[in-house]
Amino acid sequence: MSEEAAADPLRAAAETMHEVRERCVWSQQITHRDLVPYLIEESHEVIDAVENGSRADLREELGDLLWQVLFHAAIAAQDPDDPFDIDDVAATLTEKMVRRHPHVFAGEVANTPEEVLVHWNAAKAAEKRTRRSVLDGIPRGMPAIALAQKLVGRAAGVGAVAAPAPGIVEPAASAPATEQELGDALLGLVALAGARGWDAERALRERLRALEDEVREAESGR
């Protein structure tokens, strides 16, 4: 380990990853695609540590997730056609975050979270000028409910809002009034699906595909 790394824990982690990639026969064979299941698993372990774990658990799980980032960067550094390393990743991240926070770095003003979001969305839109649809850039591998929240939010922006289930969004005596009650309602729907032999995940994903069609139709009519 270099003296620079010894004084910088992040640099030390990057150099450790470099050594592992160079000298561990298992790690040498791993590709970006091979790492995907580990990235998903480590992300969920961070979530579990946030929701149920101790501070020590969270510190450890964040480190494991960081290892995945370092691993991907180490693989990318060996690409013969378009290599980049963890320093390139960090530089790109820093540039983007500075650009998306003009109220911090460029003299703009944002006194509320809503005003911050305006700056963020404006910077993001400028970065993504080549995107033709509000649906572009949404990872379809997200869990169905997380994907639904993302798609519904984007759909609202073009006037293609998914129709709410009766008594769920519209005011009603049975409508959930808290997140806990919403959780109960969602669990009840999943239980109903199981009782009727339906696949709740598939049902939601199929409805989301229809919502995507509705969004693209609304965009084509603008």
Side-chain angles (χ1 to χ4, degrees), residues 142-211:
M142 294 172 67
I145 288 181
L147 179 60
Q149 289 185 297
K150 181 74 73 172
L151 287 176
V152 167
R154 297 285 181 91
V158 295
V161 182
I168 297 298
V169 177
E170 295 149 345
S174 60
T178 65
E179 280 197 0
Q180 182 176 349
E181 290 181 7
L182 176 61
D184 291 339
L186 291 171
L187 184 60
L189 288 173
V190 172
L192 175 64
R196 297 189 178 179
W198 301 336
D199 186 318
E201 176 85 7
R202 182 175 63 234
L204 180 54
R205 286 193 176 276
E206 288 180 352
R207 180 61 187 90
L208 292 177
R209 281 193 286 273
L211 177 59

Short mmCIF file of all heavy atoms in Angstrom, two decimals, residues 142-211:
data_model
loop_
_atom_site.label_atom_id
_atom_site.label_comp_id
_atom_site.label_asym_id
_atom_site.label_seq_id
_atom_site.Cartn_x
_atom_site.Cartn_y
_atom_site.Cartn_z
N MET A 142 -36.06 -2.35 -11.90
CA MET A 142 -36.45 -1.96 -10.55
C MET A 142 -37.57 -2.87 -10.05
O MET A 142 -38.36 -3.40 -10.84
CB MET A 142 -36.95 -0.51 -10.55
CG MET A 142 -35.90 0.53 -10.86
SD MET A 142 -36.63 2.18 -11.05
CE MET A 142 -37.18 2.51 -9.36
N PRO A 143 -37.68 -3.05 -8.73
CA PRO A 143 -38.85 -3.76 -8.19
C PRO A 143 -40.13 -3.10 -8.67
O PRO A 143 -40.18 -1.88 -8.88
CB PRO A 143 -38.68 -3.63 -6.67
CG PRO A 143 -37.21 -3.45 -6.47
CD PRO A 143 -36.74 -2.66 -7.68
N ALA A 144 -41.19 -3.88 -8.82
CA ALA A 144 -42.40 -3.40 -9.49
C ALA A 144 -42.99 -2.17 -8.83
O ALA A 144 -43.39 -1.22 -9.51
CB ALA A 144 -43.44 -4.52 -9.56
N ILE A 145 -43.06 -2.14 -7.50
CA ILE A 145 -43.68 -1.00 -6.84
C ILE A 145 -42.82 0.25 -6.99
O ILE A 145 -43.33 1.34 -7.27
CB ILE A 145 -43.96 -1.31 -5.36
CG1 ILE A 145 -45.12 -2.31 -5.26
CG2 ILE A 145 -44.30 -0.04 -4.58
CD1 ILE A 145 -45.50 -2.68 -3.85
N ALA A 146 -41.50 0.10 -6.84
CA ALA A 146 -40.61 1.25 -7.04
C ALA A 146 -40.70 1.75 -8.48
O ALA A 146 -40.71 2.95 -8.74
CB ALA A 146 -39.17 0.86 -6.70
N LEU A 147 -40.78 0.81 -9.42
CA LEU A 147 -40.93 1.19 -10.83
C LEU A 147 -42.26 1.90 -11.06
O LEU A 147 -42.34 2.89 -11.80
CB LEU A 147 -40.83 -0.06 -11.72
CG LEU A 147 -40.98 0.14 -13.22
CD1 LEU A 147 -39.91 1.08 -13.75
CD2 LEU A 147 -40.92 -1.20 -13.95
N ALA A 148 -43.31 1.42 -10.39
CA ALA A 148 -44.63 2.04 -10.53
C ALA A 148 -44.60 3.48 -10.04
O ALA A 148 -45.14 4.38 -10.70
CB ALA A 148 -45.67 1.23 -9.76
N GLN A 149 -43.97 3.72 -8.91
CA GLN A 149 -43.89 5.08 -8.39
C GLN A 149 -43.14 6.00 -9.36
O GLN A 149 -43.54 7.15 -9.58
CB GLN A 149 -43.21 5.09 -7.02
CG GLN A 149 -44.06 4.50 -5.91
CD GLN A 149 -43.41 4.62 -4.55
OE1 GLN A 149 -42.35 4.06 -4.32
NE2 GLN A 149 -44.04 5.35 -3.66
N LYS A 150 -42.06 5.48 -9.93
CA LYS A 150 -41.29 6.27 -10.88
C LYS A 150 -42.11 6.58 -12.14
O LYS A 150 -42.16 7.73 -12.60
CB LYS A 150 -40.01 5.52 -11.25
CG LYS A 150 -39.10 6.24 -12.21
CD LYS A 150 -38.38 7.39 -11.57
CE LYS A 150 -37.28 6.93 -10.64
NZ LYS A 150 -36.45 8.06 -10.15
N LEU A 151 -42.77 5.55 -12.68
CA LEU A 151 -43.53 5.73 -13.91
C LEU A 151 -44.74 6.64 -13.70
O LEU A 151 -45.06 7.47 -14.56
CB LEU A 151 -43.99 4.38 -14.46
CG LEU A 151 -42.90 3.50 -15.08
CD1 LEU A 151 -43.47 2.15 -15.48
CD2 LEU A 151 -42.27 4.18 -16.29
N VAL A 152 -45.44 6.49 -12.58
CA VAL A 152 -46.60 7.34 -12.31
C VAL A 152 -46.17 8.80 -12.21
O VAL A 152 -46.84 9.70 -12.71
CB VAL A 152 -47.32 6.88 -11.03
CG1 VAL A 152 -48.32 7.93 -10.55
CG2 VAL A 152 -48.03 5.56 -11.27
N GLY A 153 -45.01 9.04 -11.56
CA GLY A 153 -44.51 10.40 -11.46
C GLY A 153 -44.18 10.98 -12.82
O GLY A 153 -44.51 12.15 -13.11
N ARG A 154 -43.54 10.19 -13.68
CA ARG A 154 -43.21 10.68 -15.02
C ARG A 154 -44.48 10.86 -15.86
O ARG A 154 -44.59 11.80 -16.65
CB ARG A 154 -42.27 9.69 -15.72
CG ARG A 154 -40.92 9.51 -15.03
CD ARG A 154 -39.99 10.68 -15.24
NE ARG A 154 -38.70 10.47 -14.60
CZ ARG A 154 -37.65 9.90 -15.20
NH1 ARG A 154 -37.75 9.51 -16.47
NH2 ARG A 154 -36.51 9.73 -14.54
N ALA A 155 -45.43 9.94 -15.69
CA ALA A 155 -46.68 10.01 -16.46
C ALA A 155 -47.44 11.29 -16.15
O ALA A 155 -48.03 11.92 -17.05
CB ALA A 155 -47.55 8.79 -16.17
N ALA A 156 -47.42 11.68 -14.88
CA ALA A 156 -48.14 12.90 -14.50
C ALA A 156 -47.59 14.11 -15.23
O ALA A 156 -48.33 15.06 -15.53
CB ALA A 156 -48.04 13.09 -12.99
N GLY A 157 -46.32 14.08 -15.54
CA GLY A 157 -45.69 15.22 -16.21
C GLY A 157 -46.16 15.43 -17.63
O GLY A 157 -46.01 16.53 -18.18
N VAL A 158 -46.73 14.39 -18.26
CA VAL A 158 -47.23 14.54 -19.63
C VAL A 158 -48.75 14.36 -19.68
O VAL A 158 -49.33 14.21 -20.75
CB VAL A 158 -46.55 13.53 -20.59
CG1 VAL A 158 -45.07 13.83 -20.69
CG2 VAL A 158 -46.77 12.09 -20.13
N GLY A 159 -49.38 14.35 -18.51
CA GLY A 159 -50.84 14.27 -18.46
C GLY A 159 -51.40 12.88 -18.65
O GLY A 159 -52.59 12.72 -18.90
N ALA A 160 -50.56 11.85 -18.54
CA ALA A 160 -51.04 10.47 -18.67
C ALA A 160 -50.98 9.81 -17.30
O ALA A 160 -50.13 8.98 -17.04
CB ALA A 160 -50.18 9.70 -19.68
N VAL A 161 -51.88 10.21 -16.43
CA VAL A 161 -51.86 9.72 -15.05
C VAL A 161 -52.64 8.43 -14.96
O VAL A 161 -53.76 8.34 -15.47
CB VAL A 161 -52.45 10.77 -14.09
CG1 VAL A 161 -52.39 10.28 -12.66
CG2 VAL A 161 -51.71 12.09 -14.24
N ALA A 162 -52.05 7.43 -14.30
CA ALA A 162 -52.74 6.16 -14.13
C ALA A 162 -54.00 6.37 -13.31
O ALA A 162 -54.02 7.11 -12.33
CB ALA A 162 -51.82 5.16 -13.42
N ALA A 163 -55.08 5.71 -13.72
CA ALA A 163 -56.35 5.84 -13.00
C ALA A 163 -56.24 5.20 -11.63
O ALA A 163 -55.80 4.06 -11.50
CB ALA A 163 -57.46 5.16 -13.81
N PRO A 164 -56.62 5.91 -10.58
CA PRO A 164 -56.55 5.34 -9.23
C PRO A 164 -57.61 4.28 -9.02
O PRO A 164 -58.69 4.34 -9.60
CB PRO A 164 -56.80 6.55 -8.32
CG PRO A 164 -57.62 7.47 -9.16
CD PRO A 164 -57.13 7.28 -10.57
N ALA A 165 -57.28 3.32 -8.16
CA ALA A 165 -58.27 2.31 -7.80
C ALA A 165 -59.34 2.95 -6.93
O ALA A 165 -59.03 3.77 -6.07
CB ALA A 165 -57.59 1.16 -7.05
N PRO A 166 -60.60 2.62 -7.13
CA PRO A 166 -61.67 3.22 -6.33
C PRO A 166 -61.43 3.02 -4.84
O PRO A 166 -61.13 1.91 -4.40
CB PRO A 166 -62.92 2.46 -6.80
CG PRO A 166 -62.58 1.97 -8.17
CD PRO A 166 -61.10 1.68 -8.13
N GLY A 167 -61.56 4.10 -4.08
CA GLY A 167 -61.41 3.99 -2.64
C GLY A 167 -59.98 3.92 -2.16
O GLY A 167 -59.73 3.81 -0.97
N ILE A 168 -58.99 4.00 -3.08
CA ILE A 168 -57.59 3.94 -2.66
C ILE A 168 -56.98 5.34 -2.67
O ILE A 168 -56.41 5.79 -1.68
CB ILE A 168 -56.79 3.01 -3.59
CG1 ILE A 168 -57.34 1.58 -3.48
CG2 ILE A 168 -55.32 3.03 -3.22
CD1 ILE A 168 -57.21 0.97 -2.09
N VAL A 169 -57.12 6.07 -3.80
CA VAL A 169 -56.58 7.42 -3.87
C VAL A 169 -57.68 8.45 -3.61
O VAL A 169 -57.47 9.44 -2.94
CB VAL A 169 -55.93 7.67 -5.25
CG1 VAL A 169 -55.45 9.10 -5.35
CG2 VAL A 169 -54.75 6.71 -5.42
N GLU A 170 -58.88 8.20 -4.15
CA GLU A 170 -59.97 9.13 -3.94
C GLU A 170 -60.43 9.05 -2.49
O GLU A 170 -60.39 7.99 -1.87
CB GLU A 170 -61.13 8.78 -4.87
CG GLU A 170 -60.74 8.96 -6.34
CD GLU A 170 -61.47 7.98 -7.24
OE1 GLU A 170 -62.04 7.01 -6.72
OE2 GLU A 170 -61.45 8.18 -8.45
N PRO A 171 -60.88 10.15 -1.90
CA PRO A 171 -61.32 10.13 -0.51
C PRO A 171 -62.42 9.10 -0.29
O PRO A 171 -63.39 9.03 -1.01
CB PRO A 171 -61.85 11.56 -0.30
CG PRO A 171 -61.14 12.38 -1.32
CD PRO A 171 -60.97 11.48 -2.50
N ALA A 172 -62.23 8.29 0.71
CA ALA A 172 -63.22 7.27 1.07
C ALA A 172 -62.92 6.81 2.48
O ALA A 172 -61.80 6.94 2.98
CB ALA A 172 -63.15 6.08 0.10
N ALA A 173 -63.93 6.25 3.13
CA ALA A 173 -63.76 5.83 4.52
C ALA A 173 -62.67 4.77 4.63
O ALA A 173 -62.00 4.67 5.65
CB ALA A 173 -65.08 5.30 5.06
N SER A 174 -62.50 3.97 3.57
CA SER A 174 -61.53 2.87 3.62
C SER A 174 -60.16 3.24 3.09
O SER A 174 -59.26 2.41 3.04
CB SER A 174 -62.08 1.68 2.83
OG SER A 174 -62.28 2.06 1.48
N ALA A 175 -60.00 4.49 2.61
CA ALA A 175 -58.71 4.88 2.03
C ALA A 175 -57.63 4.94 3.10
O ALA A 175 -57.87 5.42 4.21
CB ALA A 175 -58.84 6.23 1.35
N PRO A 176 -56.42 4.43 2.81
CA PRO A 176 -55.33 4.51 3.78
C PRO A 176 -55.02 5.95 4.15
O PRO A 176 -54.94 6.82 3.27
CB PRO A 176 -54.15 3.86 3.04
CG PRO A 176 -54.78 3.03 1.97
CD PRO A 176 -56.02 3.74 1.58
N ALA A 177 -54.86 6.19 5.44
CA ALA A 177 -54.56 7.55 5.90
C ALA A 177 -53.11 7.70 6.32
O ALA A 177 -52.64 8.82 6.54
CB ALA A 177 -55.47 7.91 7.07
N THR A 178 -52.37 6.59 6.44
CA THR A 178 -50.97 6.62 6.84
C THR A 178 -50.20 5.61 6.00
O THR A 178 -50.79 4.75 5.33
CB THR A 178 -50.81 6.24 8.33
OG1 THR A 178 -51.21 4.86 8.50
CG2 THR A 178 -51.65 7.14 9.22
N GLU A 179 -48.87 5.69 6.07
CA GLU A 179 -48.05 4.71 5.35
C GLU A 179 -48.29 3.31 5.89
O GLU A 179 -48.27 2.33 5.14
CB GLU A 179 -46.57 5.08 5.45
CG GLU A 179 -46.15 6.17 4.48
CD GLU A 179 -44.64 6.24 4.31
OE1 GLU A 179 -43.92 5.43 4.93
OE2 GLU A 179 -44.18 7.10 3.54
N GLN A 180 -48.51 3.19 7.19
CA GLN A 180 -48.78 1.87 7.77
C GLN A 180 -50.06 1.28 7.20
O GLN A 180 -50.12 0.10 6.85
CB GLN A 180 -48.87 1.96 9.29
CG GLN A 180 -49.10 0.60 9.95
CD GLN A 180 -49.09 0.68 11.47
OE1 GLN A 180 -48.72 1.68 12.04
NE2 GLN A 180 -49.51 -0.40 12.10
N GLU A 181 -51.10 2.13 7.10
CA GLU A 181 -52.35 1.65 6.53
C GLU A 181 -52.19 1.32 5.05
O GLU A 181 -52.80 0.37 4.54
CB GLU A 181 -53.45 2.70 6.73
CG GLU A 181 -53.88 2.85 8.18
CD GLU A 181 -54.98 3.87 8.35
OE1 GLU A 181 -55.51 4.36 7.32
OE2 GLU A 181 -55.32 4.18 9.51
N LEU A 182 -51.36 2.09 4.36
CA LEU A 182 -51.08 1.78 2.96
C LEU A 182 -50.39 0.42 2.85
O LEU A 182 -50.72 -0.38 1.97
CB LEU A 182 -50.19 2.87 2.35
CG LEU A 182 -49.73 2.63 0.90
CD1 LEU A 182 -50.92 2.53 -0.04
CD2 LEU A 182 -48.78 3.74 0.45
N GLY A 183 -49.45 0.17 3.76
CA GLY A 183 -48.79 -1.13 3.78
C GLY A 183 -49.78 -2.25 4.00
O GLY A 183 -49.71 -3.31 3.36
N ASP A 184 -50.73 -2.04 4.90
CA ASP A 184 -51.76 -3.05 5.15
C ASP A 184 -52.59 -3.29 3.89
O ASP A 184 -52.92 -4.44 3.55
CB ASP A 184 -52.68 -2.59 6.29
CG ASP A 184 -51.97 -2.57 7.64
OD1 ASP A 184 -50.94 -3.26 7.78
OD2 ASP A 184 -52.46 -1.88 8.55
N ALA A 185 -52.94 -2.18 3.20
CA ALA A 185 -53.74 -2.31 1.99
C ALA A 185 -52.99 -3.06 0.89
O ALA A 185 -53.55 -3.93 0.22
CB ALA A 185 -54.15 -0.92 1.48
N LEU A 186 -51.70 -2.73 0.73
CA LEU A 186 -50.90 -3.43 -0.29
C LEU A 186 -50.75 -4.90 0.06
O LEU A 186 -50.84 -5.78 -0.82
CB LEU A 186 -49.52 -2.77 -0.40
CG LEU A 186 -49.50 -1.36 -1.02
CD1 LEU A 186 -48.11 -0.74 -0.87
CD2 LEU A 186 -49.89 -1.42 -2.48
N LEU A 187 -50.53 -5.19 1.34
CA LEU A 187 -50.40 -6.59 1.76
C LEU A 187 -51.70 -7.33 1.50
O LEU A 187 -51.70 -8.50 1.07
CB LEU A 187 -50.03 -6.65 3.25
CG LEU A 187 -49.78 -8.06 3.81
CD1 LEU A 187 -48.64 -8.74 3.07
CD2 LEU A 187 -49.49 -7.98 5.31
N GLY A 188 -52.83 -6.66 1.76
CA GLY A 188 -54.12 -7.29 1.50
C GLY A 188 -54.31 -7.61 0.02
O GLY A 188 -54.84 -8.67 -0.33
N LEU A 189 -53.86 -6.70 -0.87
CA LEU A 189 -53.97 -6.96 -2.30
C LEU A 189 -53.10 -8.14 -2.72
O LEU A 189 -53.50 -8.95 -3.55
CB LEU A 189 -53.59 -5.70 -3.08
CG LEU A 189 -54.58 -4.54 -3.03
CD1 LEU A 189 -53.98 -3.31 -3.70
CD2 LEU A 189 -55.89 -4.92 -3.71
N VAL A 190 -51.91 -8.23 -2.14
CA VAL A 190 -51.02 -9.35 -2.45
C VAL A 190 -51.64 -10.66 -1.97
O VAL A 190 -51.60 -11.69 -2.65
CB VAL A 190 -49.63 -9.14 -1.83
CG1 VAL A 190 -48.78 -10.40 -1.97
CG2 VAL A 190 -48.93 -7.95 -2.47
N ALA A 191 -52.24 -10.61 -0.77
CA ALA A 191 -52.90 -11.81 -0.23
C ALA A 191 -54.08 -12.22 -1.12
O ALA A 191 -54.31 -13.41 -1.39
CB ALA A 191 -53.38 -11.55 1.19
N LEU A 192 -54.83 -11.23 -1.60
CA LEU A 192 -55.94 -11.51 -2.51
C LEU A 192 -55.45 -12.16 -3.79
O LEU A 192 -56.04 -13.13 -4.29
CB LEU A 192 -56.68 -10.20 -2.84
CG LEU A 192 -57.79 -10.29 -3.88
CD1 LEU A 192 -58.92 -11.18 -3.38
CD2 LEU A 192 -58.31 -8.90 -4.23
N ALA A 193 -54.33 -11.62 -4.33
CA ALA A 193 -53.76 -12.20 -5.54
C ALA A 193 -53.39 -13.66 -5.31
O ALA A 193 -53.68 -14.53 -6.14
CB ALA A 193 -52.53 -11.40 -5.97
N GLY A 194 -52.76 -13.95 -4.17
CA GLY A 194 -52.38 -15.32 -3.88
C GLY A 194 -53.58 -16.24 -3.76
O GLY A 194 -53.57 -17.37 -4.25
N ALA A 195 -54.63 -15.74 -3.12
CA ALA A 195 -55.83 -16.55 -2.93
C ALA A 195 -56.50 -16.89 -4.26
O ALA A 195 -57.14 -17.93 -4.40
CB ALA A 195 -56.81 -15.82 -2.01
N ARG A 196 -56.35 -15.99 -5.23
CA ARG A 196 -56.98 -16.21 -6.53
C ARG A 196 -56.03 -16.78 -7.57
O ARG A 196 -56.38 -16.90 -8.75
CB ARG A 196 -57.58 -14.90 -7.03
CG ARG A 196 -58.69 -14.39 -6.11
CD ARG A 196 -59.43 -13.21 -6.69
NE ARG A 196 -60.51 -12.78 -5.80
CZ ARG A 196 -61.32 -11.76 -6.05
NH1 ARG A 196 -61.17 -11.06 -7.17
NH2 ARG A 196 -62.27 -11.44 -5.20
N GLY A 197 -54.81 -17.08 -7.14
CA GLY A 197 -53.85 -17.69 -8.06
C GLY A 197 -53.22 -16.72 -9.02
O GLY A 197 -52.72 -17.12 -10.08
N TRP A 198 -53.24 -15.43 -8.68
CA TRP A 198 -52.64 -14.42 -9.54
C TRP A 198 -51.21 -14.12 -9.09
O TRP A 198 -50.86 -14.29 -7.92
CB TRP A 198 -53.44 -13.12 -9.47
CG TRP A 198 -54.87 -13.25 -9.91
CD1 TRP A 198 -55.41 -14.20 -10.74
CD2 TRP A 198 -55.96 -12.41 -9.52
NE1 TRP A 198 -56.75 -13.99 -10.90
CE2 TRP A 198 -57.13 -12.89 -10.16
CE3 TRP A 198 -56.07 -11.29 -8.70
CZ2 TRP A 198 -58.37 -12.31 -10.01
CZ3 TRP A 198 -57.31 -10.68 -8.54
CH2 TRP A 198 -58.45 -11.19 -9.19
N ASP A 199 -50.40 -13.66 -10.00
CA ASP A 199 -49.04 -13.23 -9.71
C ASP A 199 -49.06 -11.71 -9.56
O ASP A 199 -49.20 -10.99 -10.55
CB ASP A 199 -48.09 -13.65 -10.83
CG ASP A 199 -46.63 -13.36 -10.52
OD1 ASP A 199 -46.34 -12.27 -9.97
OD2 ASP A 199 -45.77 -14.19 -10.84
N ALA A 200 -48.96 -11.22 -8.34
CA ALA A 200 -49.09 -9.78 -8.09
C ALA A 200 -47.99 -8.98 -8.80
O ALA A 200 -48.25 -7.91 -9.35
CB ALA A 200 -49.05 -9.51 -6.59
N GLU A 201 -46.76 -9.50 -8.79
CA GLU A 201 -45.64 -8.82 -9.45
C GLU A 201 -45.90 -8.71 -10.94
O GLU A 201 -45.74 -7.65 -11.54
CB GLU A 201 -44.34 -9.58 -9.17
CG GLU A 201 -43.11 -9.02 -9.87
CD GLU A 201 -42.43 -7.90 -9.11
OE1 GLU A 201 -42.84 -7.63 -7.97
OE2 GLU A 201 -41.50 -7.30 -9.66
N ARG A 202 -46.31 -9.82 -11.54
CA ARG A 202 -46.57 -9.82 -12.98
C ARG A 202 -47.74 -8.89 -13.33
O ARG A 202 -47.70 -8.16 -14.32
CB ARG A 202 -46.85 -11.24 -13.47
CG ARG A 202 -47.10 -11.32 -14.99
CD ARG A 202 -47.26 -12.75 -15.48
NE ARG A 202 -48.43 -13.38 -14.90
CZ ARG A 202 -48.40 -14.53 -14.24
NH1 ARG A 202 -47.26 -15.17 -14.06
NH2 ARG A 202 -49.51 -15.06 -13.75
N ALA A 203 -48.78 -8.92 -12.51
CA ALA A 203 -49.94 -8.08 -12.77
C ALA A 203 -49.56 -6.61 -12.79
O ALA A 203 -49.99 -5.85 -13.68
CB ALA A 203 -51.01 -8.34 -11.71
N LEU A 204 -48.75 -6.19 -11.83
CA LEU A 204 -48.35 -4.78 -11.78
C LEU A 204 -47.45 -4.44 -12.95
O LEU A 204 -47.59 -3.39 -13.58
CB LEU A 204 -47.66 -4.48 -10.45
CG LEU A 204 -47.19 -3.03 -10.26
CD1 LEU A 204 -48.34 -2.05 -10.47
CD2 LEU A 204 -46.59 -2.85 -8.86
N ARG A 205 -46.51 -5.33 -13.28
CA ARG A 205 -45.61 -5.04 -14.39
C ARG A 205 -46.37 -4.95 -15.72
O ARG A 205 -46.06 -4.13 -16.58
CB ARG A 205 -44.50 -6.08 -14.47
CG ARG A 205 -43.45 -5.91 -13.38
CD ARG A 205 -42.21 -6.74 -13.63
NE ARG A 205 -41.21 -6.47 -12.62
CZ ARG A 205 -40.36 -5.44 -12.67
NH1 ARG A 205 -40.40 -4.60 -13.68
NH2 ARG A 205 -39.48 -5.25 -11.71
N GLU A 206 -47.38 -5.81 -15.89
CA GLU A 206 -48.16 -5.74 -17.12
C GLU A 206 -48.94 -4.44 -17.19
O GLU A 206 -49.05 -3.82 -18.25
CB GLU A 206 -49.10 -6.95 -17.21
CG GLU A 206 -48.35 -8.25 -17.50
CD GLU A 206 -49.27 -9.45 -17.57
OE1 GLU A 206 -50.48 -9.31 -17.26
OE2 GLU A 206 -48.79 -10.54 -17.95
N ARG A 207 -49.45 -3.99 -16.05
CA ARG A 207 -50.17 -2.70 -16.03
C ARG A 207 -49.20 -1.55 -16.31
O ARG A 207 -49.56 -0.57 -16.97
CB ARG A 207 -50.85 -2.50 -14.67
CG ARG A 207 -51.62 -1.19 -14.57
CD ARG A 207 -52.74 -1.13 -15.60
NE ARG A 207 -53.40 0.18 -15.64
CZ ARG A 207 -53.05 1.20 -16.41
NH1 ARG A 207 -51.98 1.09 -17.22
NH2 ARG A 207 -53.73 2.33 -16.39
N LEU A 208 -47.97 -1.67 -15.83
CA LEU A 208 -46.98 -0.63 -16.08
C LEU A 208 -46.61 -0.56 -17.55
O LEU A 208 -46.36 0.53 -18.08
CB LEU A 208 -45.74 -0.87 -15.22
CG LEU A 208 -45.93 -0.70 -13.70
CD1 LEU A 208 -44.64 -1.03 -12.97
CD2 LEU A 208 -46.41 0.70 -13.36
N ARG A 209 -46.56 -1.71 -18.22
CA ARG A 209 -46.30 -1.68 -19.66
C ARG A 209 -47.41 -0.92 -20.39
O ARG A 209 -47.15 -0.17 -21.34
CB ARG A 209 -46.15 -3.10 -20.19
CG ARG A 209 -44.77 -3.71 -19.92
CD ARG A 209 -44.56 -4.97 -20.73
NE ARG A 209 -45.33 -6.09 -20.20
CZ ARG A 209 -44.91 -6.90 -19.24
NH1 ARG A 209 -43.72 -6.71 -18.69
NH2 ARG A 209 -45.65 -7.90 -18.82
N ALA A 210 -48.65 -1.14 -19.94
CA ALA A 210 -49.77 -0.40 -20.54
C ALA A 210 -49.64 1.10 -20.25
O ALA A 210 -49.93 1.94 -21.11
CB ALA A 210 -51.10 -0.94 -20.01
N LEU A 211 -49.20 1.44 -19.03
CA LEU A 211 -49.00 2.84 -18.68
C LEU A 211 -47.93 3.47 -19.56
O LEU A 211 -48.06 4.63 -20.00
CB LEU A 211 -48.63 2.98 -17.21
CG LEU A 211 -48.32 4.40 -16.72
CD1 LEU A 211 -49.50 5.33 -16.94
CD2 LEU A 211 -47.93 4.38 -15.23
#
